[in-house]
């Protein structure tokens, strides 16, 4: 069964760049049927979709974050990545990666999530 | 953006009883060209990622117990658990994928009475 695993620093200083990677295993990222997404959840709060990418490089971004976000894919490593710059404490959240079924679809499966805290 | 509003925010139901969670979208998520409602339901237990339960508003994901069902169309949707089990204690989210950005409801916390 397809598995996703997030990795990256758990602590980022304000104004710096948050960088996360999602490694996809037991399956290929190079499938035309899926997009690969980042979603976040501030502690005790709801879910916010951040961005998605197709293995061919096509991307979609949440307009609320678009100016600060870059999503990229590395098919040779079967992984995709997120960069969020100029972070503030409002960016403190659990960041999940997930597979999206189609260009606009549901998310399944999800990675376990990684908590990123923005603090000096 | 399409705003998803769930009700209630929290719910306590006795074991074996029915639990009903509602989700309302600010715009229709029904695509008239294929008659599909672009809505999914998720279950999230503490310390875990969300688990997808239902897509296309009423299609149960493989392996999800049949006590979970989804219904509704257009802007009003319902997740029903027909007979609550202890392992169903969780937060439930709806999500629309009709238009970008995909958006989620605020969540409904389900507990045992």
């Amino acid at each position: 069964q397809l598995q996703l695993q997030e990795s990256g620093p758990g602590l980022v200083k304000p104004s710096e760049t948050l960088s996360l990677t999602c490694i996809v295993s037991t399956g290929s990222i190079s499938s035309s049927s899926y997009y690969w997404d980042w979603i976040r959840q501030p502690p005790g709060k709801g879910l916010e979709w951040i961005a998605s990418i197709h293995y061919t490089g096509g991307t979609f971004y949440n307009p609320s974050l678009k100016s600060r976000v870059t999503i990229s894919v590395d098919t040779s490593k079967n992984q995709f990545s997120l960069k969020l710059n100029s972070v503030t404490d409002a960016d403190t959240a659990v960041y999940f990666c997930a597979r999206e079924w189609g260009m606009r679809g549901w998310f399944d499966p999800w990675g376990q999530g990684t908590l990123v805290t923005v603090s000096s | 953006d399409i705003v998803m509003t769930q009700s209630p925010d929290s719910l306590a139901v006795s074991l074996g009883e029915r639990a009903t969670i509602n989700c309302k979208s600010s715009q229709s998520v029904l695509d008239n060209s294929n008659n599909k409602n672009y809505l999914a339901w998720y279950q999230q237990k503490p310390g875990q990622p969300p688990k997808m339960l239902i897509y296309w508003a009423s299609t149960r994901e493989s392996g999800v117990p049949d006590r979970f069902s989804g219904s509704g169309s257009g802007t009003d949707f319902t997740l029903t658990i027909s007979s609550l089990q202890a392992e169903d204690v969780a937060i439930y989210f709806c999500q629309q994928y009709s238009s970008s950005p995909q958006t989620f409801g605020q969540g409904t916390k389900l507990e045992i009475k």
Side-chain angles (χ1 to χ4, degrees), chain B residues 14-25:
Chain B
S14 300
L15 289 172
E17 296 299 306
R18 179 185 300 260
T20 301
I21 298 170
N22 301 301
C23 175
K24 188 174 184 67
S25 58

Side-chain angles (χ1 to χ4, degrees), chain B residues 1-2 4 7 9 22 31 39-40 42 48-49 52 59 61 65-66 75 82-83 85 92 99 101 105 110 112-113:
Chain B
D1 298 5
I2 297 178
M4 307 299 290
S7 61
D9 290 333
N22 301 301
D31 187 331
L39 184 110
Y42 300 85
Q48 296 185 19
M52 203 271 293
T59 302
E61 168 73 324
D66 61 7
T75 61
S82 59
S83 176
Q85 305 299 303
Y92 292 85
S99 66
L110 178 59
I112 305 293
K113 185 187 290 184

